[in-house]
Amino acid sequence: MFRKGFTSTHERTHLPKDVEKYRVIPLMTKNYTDIKLNPLPERELEIIGTITAEKMALMRDKALAKVKADFETDGFRKGNVPEAIIIQKVGEMRLLEEDAEIALSEEYPNILEEHKVDSIGRPEINITKLGVGSPLEFKVKTSLMPDVKLADYKKIAKTADKVTTAPAVTDKEVDDVIKNIRENIAHQKVHNDAGGGDKHDHREITDADLPEVNDEFAKMIGGFENVVQMKEKDKRRVDTLEEIMGKSTIDLPKIIIDGEMEKMLAQFKDDVAKSGVSYEDYLKHVKKTEDDLKTEWKDTAIKRAKSQVILNTISREEGITPKEEEIKLEMGKILEHHKDADRFRVRMYVETFMTNELVFQFLESQK
């Protein structure tokens, strides 16, 4: 039975999160052979290949060192157990699995680089052959970056206030954006009143906590003169993005759609909890399963994912990035109230938010 981290032919798993630390510079003699690339639906790719027996033999010492670092048994401190005892205790299969994990962690990035595979997310791995003195045979399924052919977004932005072929943005869509802003502001206030920190075990947020949508609110969130101006700007931005989307070709990998779906589900569960009803009771009441909800939301998830891909692509094409000092300033404000928050996640959130705003400003400057 394979331990967590590697699998039999009928099971799937991922490379370790610290895959990059194993990355090596390719040598003249490659340590892998028989690489085959099989395209799959939904922007996925199957990679079949073999790690040479010579490479696998070199992994033995690395595998022993890795196991030894955390191994402890009666009479020996952790990290000081003799290798002979380790081999006896853990067994040959455990060491072979470590061999395979390290070998693939080292060679997989080189395979991607040689074959110019632009992957996204963590790959799923099947080990199809693993034995002492033998090559390692494997299958990897990975997602590919979106295939994007953008319309002339500058031209579309110039005529955004004129005739548009994109579906009209509804008042509800604009109101939903404003509602999210109000909820975020209310959540931050209630959280701070409860003492801040990374834990969010404060009281439930009610409608009474939401800031009123008035001219003062409009000035606070974006320097608008009044609510009408705020709503008009949001509507123009969504209109422009809708038209770019409608005239572009965007082939999304399943992993991006699934990621957007999970964000929607998390937000929905939070909304249900605020109403005082458990998520399970809600599903029973509406006589639906979570899969039913996901099916209903799929088109929306795809639309949201495409919107972000468009903004990301324009920022890359135009070299639009926020200034480092502004990113750090905004991160500091968040971390002041969430001291134990993951800095990487905070940075990703801040960079995405600030980059999106800069892209919209760029599009608005095309008038």
Side-chain angles (χ1 to χ4, degrees), residues 89-339:
K89 293 280 189 181
V90 304
E92 192 61 44
M93 183 54 70
R94 167 74 185 279
L95 290 174
L96 282 172
E97 291 166 12
E98 291 291 352
D99 292 347
E101 182 174 321
I102 297 172
L104 276 168
S105 296
E106 290 185 353
E107 297 302 329
Y108 179 69
N110 297 331
I111 293 170
L112 296 183
E113 186 173 348
E114 179 186 352
H115 293 274
K116 296 179 173 57
V117 175
D118 198 2
S119 66
I120 182 174
R122 295 177 63 197
E124 296 176 352
I125 294 176
N126 284 335
I127 301 299
T128 55
K129 182 180 178 182
L130 180 63
V132 177
S134 300
L136 166 68
E137 296 180 6
F138 64 89
K139 290 183 180 180
V140 173
K141 186 169 77 171
T142 188
S143 296
L144 301 176
M145 290 291 288
D147 183 21
V148 184
K149 295 180 179 63
L150 279 190
D152 188 341
Y153 50 86
K154 293 180 182 179
K155 181 178 179 181
I156 291 172
K158 286 179 182 178
T159 59
D161 292 328
K162 300 177 183 178
V163 179
T164 176
T165 59
V169 178
T170 65
D171 289 339
K172 181 182 183 304
E173 288 178 297
V174 175
D175 288 341
D176 284 345
V177 173
I178 295 173
K179 181 185 176 184
N180 287 337
I181 295 172
R182 294 171 71 205
E183 288 176 342
N184 288 337
I185 292 173
H187 178 266
Q188 189 62 58
K189 183 179 184 302
V190 172
H191 181 66
N192 290 343
D193 290 344
D198 195 40
K199 293 184 178 180
H200 292 246
D201 52 359
H202 48 66
R203 67 174 176 81
E204 290 187 5
I205 297 168
T206 66
D207 289 342
D209 295 307
L210 302 181
E212 184 181 351
V213 180
N214 51 27
D215 292 349
E216 183 180 347
F217 173 81
K219 292 175 183 177
M220 176 181 67
I221 69 167
F224 301 105
E225 292 182 7
N226 49 52
V227 173
V228 173
Q229 186 186 77
M230 176 184 69
K231 288 191 174 185
E232 285 179 352
K233 185 171 184 177
D234 280 341
K235 192 173 188 302
R236 283 198 303 271
R237 286 184 169 186
V238 180
D239 272 334
T240 301
L241 199 55
E242 288 269 5
E243 187 158 359
I244 295 172
M245 188 188 309
K247 294 181 178 180
S248 300
T249 302
I250 306 170
D251 190 5
L252 291 176
K254 183 174 180 293
I255 190 174
I256 288 183
I257 300 172
D258 289 347
E260 191 60 46
M261 188 74 73
E262 289 305 315
K263 285 191 285 186
M264 292 173 64
L265 185 61
Q267 181 62 57
F268 182 74
K269 286 181 178 179
D270 188 52
D271 290 342
V272 171
K274 289 176 184 176
S275 69
V277 179
S278 74
Y279 177 62
E280 291 73 18
D281 287 344
Y282 171 83
L283 292 178
K284 289 178 183 178
H285 178 72
V286 297
K287 298 179 180 179
K288 292 180 180 180
T289 66
E290 189 170 284
D291 286 339
D292 291 333
L293 295 181
K294 288 183 176 181
T295 298
E296 293 174 3
W297 296 345
K298 186 172 182 180
D299 288 345
T300 302
I302 291 173
K303 181 177 177 180
R304 290 187 180 186
K306 285 185 175 180
S307 296
Q308 189 57 57
V309 167
I310 287 172
L311 293 170
N312 290 346
T313 305
I314 293 175
S315 72
R316 186 171 61 250
E317 291 288 327
E318 301 296 334
I320 298 173
T321 55
K323 295 179 180 178
E324 182 65 22
E325 57 268 26
E326 293 177 351
I327 294 174
K328 289 182 177 179
L329 180 63
E330 192 63 31
M331 285 179 64
K333 293 178 182 177
I334 294 174
L335 291 169
E336 181 180 353
H337 300 293
H338 304 274
K339 299 185 186 302

